[in-house]
């Protein structure tokens, strides 16, 4: 008897639960049949990438609690009927008792608690009703972007009496009648998102608030609701998050209803609510509006992006809302240094501050923020053009907990500023796009001191070259997301250095005209976890580079090779060999013929979900391949 055979199922299950990464669990499955069996009964979540394998996967993984079918848009009522008819597969009795005490056999629907049907455009009332009836434990359902869903589908959803979370963004056919059915049938709802459900109004929201008193999260963004809907939310004593971005008919009067209700409210989003103002005509965050929030002791997040603010209103804000940890002031008109100083002086718990496109603020405002908010972890300063190296000196001196900063298009940032910023050793995300005054010297400072960085954006930083990438690749081994687009000094040598970044998963390298297939080959060989690659306008990369991608980069899911020097053979290799590829942008490939596109699309038609092609090929490709792609749920974008 081998050592593995001597281990009981219980011990193997304990070992399995200690595996934290998906790659480790995948390797576990291939060790032996016993390990595969333990994986089958231990796995709690499943995301299906290809619908043709769905039935077999559900038979093998019968104990799942979460099923994600968001990338299987071809699922329809007939598919559901087939799946449910075969849902009585049995587990080994011993394993069934081990993982589900008291049950000798279970179906894949029996313990399902979360179901994601996002963009399931083929599903209708009948199939949805069957699924709801077959899943008695269902607590979370996502049918967002099912644009054809209407009141009949809402009636089917209402059969899930135990539902606690429902997301139905952009279900364009659902009206107040459908929402009323859901409110009556799913009275235990705690989280509901109705964003872009344009047919829902005050009547539906009112009934919802009367029936679902346990609501904690409500998103009514971009609905044609009025102040009456806010009046309806007042009795919701458990409501913690209220999002109503882009609601044109909500104004200051409506927000005053919150003063006497919603005591648990923590997050309010009134972004792009153009009628919120003292006059009802302009967007202004006024003291009177803030006064209505003074009793919301638990409020910790508020976003007023695009609003008109004044110094006096921000001072009132500081006085009334002491517990704020997140503030969004993106594109706010009238925001000044004095206003920022008055805002942050009472917000010692602030962790997130968004000042994107607040063009009037300077280093003085940065100093005020950091002096009062030492717990800050995320600061967004995109397009704050008056921020200089002095502001970054303050950041490096006072903000030791900073993890994320966005300095995109801050033209005053230079290498000295990056040296100061590098003192923030806990940085995980740094965005420096369009900062044209930085060079390899500044990047080396970041690489030497910020070794935990996961995301770095250097878009159009034309001072960055191979030396900076060498420092980055040698020190920042945890880097996962990197944007080097249009950093034209980078050559094959720099790209070869990037091959050392084994955890790199998302890379944009558009317009690197000095990079050839030699560099791309080294990158593909080293970065085996690469899932998203953009090499648009890398015109000196030819077939040999794409052959390397086809051989090494088997985890690629999205690729953009537009304007590249690839031929029919190279394209067919890429599209045929990359078995996980779901999204491809293939425009202006001058060496690829219509026949080459035809063969490449046939090679990947069973798995591709989105493809971008030149509009001229609409009439040059065969009708058969276009219909096949559509039938398999692939969306073709004609450029």
């Amino acid at each position: 008897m081998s050592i593995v055979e001597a281990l009981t199922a219980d011990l193997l299950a304990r070992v399995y639960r200690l595996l934290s990464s998906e790659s480790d669990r995948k390797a576990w499955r291939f060790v032996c049949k016993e390990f595969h069996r333990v994986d089958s009964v231990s796995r709690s979540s499943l995301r299906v990438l290809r619908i043709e394998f769905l039935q077999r996967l559900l038979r093998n993984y019968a104990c799942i609690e979460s099923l994600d079918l968001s990338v299987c848009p071809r699922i329809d009522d007939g598919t559901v009927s087939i799946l449910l008819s075969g849902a009585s597969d049995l587990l080994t009795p011993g394993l069934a008792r081990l993982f589900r005490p008291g049950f000798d056999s279970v179906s894949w629907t029996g313990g399902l608690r979360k179901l994601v049907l996002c963009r399931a455009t083929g599903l209708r009332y009948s199939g949805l009703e069957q699924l709801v009836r077959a899943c008695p434990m269902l607590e979370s359902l996502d049918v967002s972007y099912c644009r054809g869903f209407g009141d009949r589908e809402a009636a089917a959803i209402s059969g899930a009496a135990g539902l606690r979370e429902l997301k139905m963004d952009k279900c364009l056919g659902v009206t107040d009648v459908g929402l009323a059915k859901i409110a009556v049938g799913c009275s235990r709802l705690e989280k509901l998102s109705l964003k872009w459900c344009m047919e829902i109004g005050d009547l539906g929201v009112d009934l919802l608030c009367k029936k679902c008193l346990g609501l904690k999260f409500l998103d009514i963004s971009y609905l044609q609701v009025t102040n009456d809907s806010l009046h309806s939310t007042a009795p919701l004593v458990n409501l913690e998050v209220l999002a109503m971005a882009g609601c044109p008919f909500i104004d200051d009067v409506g927000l005053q209803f919150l003063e006497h209700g919603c005591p648990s409210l923590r997050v309010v989003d009134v972004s792009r609510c153009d009628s919120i103002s003292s006059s009802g005509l302009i967007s202004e965050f006024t003291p009177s509006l803030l006064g209505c929030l003074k009793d919301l002791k638990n409020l910790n997040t508020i976003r007023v992006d695009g609003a008109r603010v004044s110094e006096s209103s921000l001072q009132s804000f500081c006085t009334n809302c002491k517990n704020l940890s997140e503030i969004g002031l993106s594109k706010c008109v009238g925001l000044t240094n004095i206003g920022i100083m008055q805002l942050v002086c009472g917000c010692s718990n602030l962790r997130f501050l968004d000042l994107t496109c607040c063009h009037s603020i300077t280093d003085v405002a940065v100093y005020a923020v950091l002096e009062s908010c030492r717990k800050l972890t995320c600061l967004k300063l995109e397009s704050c053009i008056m921020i200089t190296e002095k502001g970054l000196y303050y950041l490096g001196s006072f903000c030791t907990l900073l993890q994320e900063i966005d300095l995109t298009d801050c033209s005053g940032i230079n290498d000295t500023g990056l040296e100061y910023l590098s003192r923030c050793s806990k940085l995980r995300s740094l965005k420096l796009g369009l900062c044209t005054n930085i060079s390899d010297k500044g990047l080396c400072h970041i690489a030497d001191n910020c070794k935990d960085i996961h995301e770095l954006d250097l878009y159009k930083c034309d001072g960055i070259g191979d030396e900076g990438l060498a420092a980055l690749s040698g020190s920042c081994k945890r880097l996962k997301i990197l944007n080097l687009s249009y950093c034209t000094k980078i050559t094959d040598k720099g790209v070869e250095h990037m091959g050392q970044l084994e955890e790199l998963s998302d890379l944009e390298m558009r317009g690197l005209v000095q990079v050839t297939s030699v560099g791309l080959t080294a990158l593909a060989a080293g970065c085996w976890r690469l899932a998203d690659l953009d090499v648009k306008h890398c015109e000196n990369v030819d077939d040999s580079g794409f052959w390397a991608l086809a051989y090494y980069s088997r985890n690629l899911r999205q690729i953009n090779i537009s304007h590249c020097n690839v031929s029919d053979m190279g394209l067919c290799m890429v599209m045929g060999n990359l078995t996980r590829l779901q999204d491809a942008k293939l425009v202006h490939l001058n060496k690829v013929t219509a026949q080459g596109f035809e063969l490449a699309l046939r090679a990947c038609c069973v798995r591709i979900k989105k493809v971008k092609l030149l509009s001229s090929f609409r009439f040059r490709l065969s009708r058969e391949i276009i219909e096949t792609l559509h039938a398999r749920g692939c969306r073709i974008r004609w450029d």
Side-chain angles (χ1 to χ4, degrees):
M1 178 182 293
S2 68
I3 296 176
V4 172
E5 291 173 339
L7 296 175
T8 65
D10 182 42
L11 289 174
L12 288 174
R14 291 184 184 182
V15 174
Y16 180 87
R17 294 188 187 107
L18 296 175
L19 303 176
S20 57
S21 70
E22 176 59 31
S23 59
D24 289 341
R25 289 191 291 271
K26 183 177 180 180
W28 167 282
R29 292 196 289 270
F30 292 114
V31 172
C32 63
K33 290 183 179 179
E34 189 66 23
F35 279 25
H36 187 276
R37 188 178 298 111
V38 170
D39 172 72
S40 298
V41 295
S42 300
R43 190 166 187 156
S44 60
S45 63
L46 184 64
R47 185 171 186 259
V48 182
L49 302 180
R50 295 175 63 177
I51 194 171
E52 52 266 37
F53 298 140
L54 180 56
Q55 190 171 18
R56 188 174 71 184
L57 287 170
L58 292 176
R59 183 166 58 246
N60 292 338
Y61 297 98
C63 295
I64 56 171
E65 296 182 356
S66 174
L67 177 61
D68 186 347
L69 300 176
S70 58
V71 292
C72 296
R74 288 188 294 128
I75 188 169
D76 55 20
D77 295 351
T79 306
V80 170
S81 298
I82 293 172
L83 294 176
L84 294 178
S85 66
S88 59
D89 303 287
L90 301 180
L91 294 176
T92 304
L95 290 173
R97 284 193 294 271
L98 174 61
F99 294 98
R100 293 186 181 279
F103 290 86
D104 288 333
S105 62
V106 293
S107 71
W108 66 269
T109 60
L112 200 66
R113 296 179 181 274
K114 181 177 181 179
L115 180 60
V116 180
L117 296 169
C118 179
R119 293 184 173 86
T121 53
L123 197 62
R124 287 295 181 268
Y125 167 78
S126 175
L128 200 56
E129 186 181 42
Q130 291 179 67
L131 278 172
V132 167
R133 191 187 306 120
C135 302
M137 306 277 290
L138 196 63
E139 295 180 350
S140 176
L141 179 63
D142 184 351
V143 292
S144 52
Y145 298 96
C146 294
R147 301 187 181 190
F149 275 22
D151 291 339
R152 290 195 71 192
E153 286 72 27
I157 293 173
S158 69
L163 210 59
R164 296 183 181 275
E165 179 178 339
L166 176 60
K167 187 174 182 180
M168 42 193 313
D169 299 349
K170 233 168 192 177
C171 291
L172 300 179
V174 178
T175 69
D176 289 336
V177 175
L179 183 57
K181 292 177 180 178
I182 290 174
V184 173
C186 307
S187 58
R188 298 181 185 179
L189 273 177
E190 296 179 358
K191 185 175 181 180
L192 177 62
S193 182
L194 300 169
K195 189 185 299 183
W196 290 111
C197 294
M198 302 298 293
E199 298 299 320
I200 291 177
D202 293 331
L203 183 62
V205 174
D206 181 58
L207 184 58
L208 173 73
C209 295
K210 288 178 179 177
K211 294 295 183 180
C212 301
L213 297 177
L215 273 176
K216 296 181 180 179
F217 175 101
L218 179 61
D219 191 341
I220 53 173
S221 298
Y222 305 102
L223 303 192
Q224 302 298 307
V225 294
T226 69
N227 294 334
D228 291 341
S229 288
L230 292 191
H231 184 268
S232 300
T233 64
L236 299 177
V237 295
N238 296 316
L239 191 65
E240 298 177 357
V241 179
L242 177 60
M244 43 189 171
C247 293
F249 304 118
I250 290 178
D251 55 31
D252 294 359
V253 176
L255 287 184
Q256 290 175 2
F257 291 124
L258 300 179
E259 179 180 6
H260 304 293
C262 305
S264 301
L265 199 61
R266 296 187 296 105
V267 180
V268 178
D269 187 351
V270 291
S271 305
R272 296 174 291 281
C273 291
D274 296 332
S275 295
I276 293 181
S277 68
S278 55
S279 65
L281 297 175
I282 60 174
S283 183
E284 181 176 2
F285 210 54
T286 62
S288 60
L289 187 154
L290 289 163
C292 78
L293 301 178
K294 64 184 178 182
D295 294 325
L296 301 179
K297 305 298 183 183
N298 296 315
L299 190 69
N300 62 21
T301 302
I302 191 164
R303 298 179 185 274
V304 288
D305 301 337
R308 184 182 299 275
V309 297
S310 64
E311 294 170 5
S312 58
S313 66
L314 291 175
Q315 185 174 17
S316 178
F317 195 9
C318 167
T319 302
N320 293 326
C321 306
K322 296 285 188 180
N323 294 321
L324 284 173
S325 62
E326 296 188 19
I327 300 177
L329 297 170
S330 172
K331 301 180 182 178
C332 283
V333 179
L335 191 64
T336 63
N337 288 339
I338 296 176
I340 290 293
M341 294 167 66
Q342 292 175 333
L343 170 66
V344 300
C345 64
C347 299
S348 59
N349 293 318
L350 196 65
R351 296 178 182 275
F352 174 97
L353 180 60
D354 188 352
L355 300 175
T356 299
C357 295
C358 296
H359 304 297
S360 298
I361 67 169
T362 68
D363 297 328
V364 174
V366 174
Y367 178 78
V369 170
L370 301 177
E371 186 179 36
S372 300
C373 311
R374 298 296 178 90
K375 298 179 181 179
L376 198 69
T377 59
C378 179
L379 179 60
K380 295 183 179 295
L381 297 170
E382 179 181 350
S383 295
C384 294
I385 56 177
M386 301 180 73
I387 301 297
T388 69
E389 64 183 64
K390 193 173 183 180
L392 298 193
Y393 170 77
Y394 298 141
L395 276 167
S397 301
F398 302 121
C399 203
T400 57
L401 299 178
L402 193 68
Q403 296 181 14
E404 179 180 350
I405 184 166
D406 188 346
L407 296 168
T408 303
D409 201 18
C410 291
S411 54
I413 303 302
N414 56 23
D415 290 338
T416 304
L418 292 186
E419 183 178 4
Y420 295 142
L421 183 63
S422 68
R423 298 173 186 172
C424 300
S425 59
K426 295 185 178 181
L427 266 183
R428 294 171 62 89
S429 175
L430 175 59
K431 296 184 179 181
L432 297 169
L434 298 170
C435 292
T436 54
N437 292 319
I438 65 173
S439 68
D440 288 338
K441 182 179 178 181
L443 186 57
C444 287
H445 289 304
I446 295 295
D448 289 341
N449 298 300
C450 304
K451 298 184 185 298
D452 288 334
I453 200 161
H454 281 57
E455 179 181 5
L456 180 61
D457 187 349
L458 298 169
Y459 176 79
K460 283 194 175 181
C461 295
D462 48 20
I464 300 297
D466 297 340
E467 183 181 346
L469 291 184
L472 193 69
S473 302
S475 300
C476 302
K477 296 298 186 180
R478 297 183 179 180
L479 195 63
K480 295 181 179 180
I481 302 173
L482 180 60
N483 189 346
L484 299 172
S485 293
Y486 303 106
C487 296
T488 52
K489 286 186 178 180
I490 295 174
T491 69
D492 285 337
K493 187 176 180 180
V495 178
E496 288 172 6
H497 287 308
M498 287 194 295
Q500 302 174 36
L501 299 173
E502 294 183 358
E503 295 193 21
L504 193 65
S505 62
D506 189 329
L507 176 61
E508 290 188 41
M509 44 187 288
R510 291 188 182 191
L512 302 191
V513 292
Q514 296 192 62
V515 174
T516 70
S517 295
V518 174
L520 189 60
T521 299
L523 176 75
C527 303
W528 60 274
R529 293 189 180 182
L530 209 58
D532 191 339
L533 178 64
D534 189 338
V535 291
K536 182 178 180 180
H537 282 296
C538 291
E539 297 169 358
N540 288 315
V541 176
D542 58 21
D543 281 352
S544 61
F546 291 110
W547 291 340
L549 278 181
Y551 182 78
Y552 292 111
S553 302
R554 297 302 181 90
N555 289 313
L556 270 177
R557 298 192 180 189
Q558 297 185 60
I559 192 169
N560 186 349
I561 59 176
S562 301
H563 295 272
C564 284
N565 194 25
V566 64
S567 70
D568 289 355
M569 184 177 295
L571 182 62
C572 288
M573 285 285 290
V574 168
M575 302 300 284
N577 281 27
L578 298 180
T579 55
R580 295 189 177 185
L581 193 65
Q582 298 178 39
D583 185 349
K585 296 178 176 64
L586 310 172
V587 301
H588 296 291
L589 303 180
N590 296 329
K591 286 190 174 182
V592 181
T593 65
Q595 184 181 10
F597 276 114
E598 183 94 14
L599 293 173
L601 292 172
R602 287 184 183 277
C604 68
C605 64
V606 297
R607 58 183 177 274
I608 198 77
K609 303 302 177 187
K610 290 192 292 185
V611 64
K612 183 178 180 181
L613 301 169
L614 278 179
S615 56
S616 59
F617 283 96
R618 186 193 296 263
F619 308 104
R620 297 169 65 187
L621 294 174
S622 70
R623 183 175 179 180
E624 178 190 354
I625 187 60
I626 293 177
E627 290 179 351
T628 299
L629 289 169
H630 282 309
R632 291 184 174 274
C634 177
R635 287 176 287 169
I636 304 177
R637 177 182 170 187
W638 301 103
D639 189 51

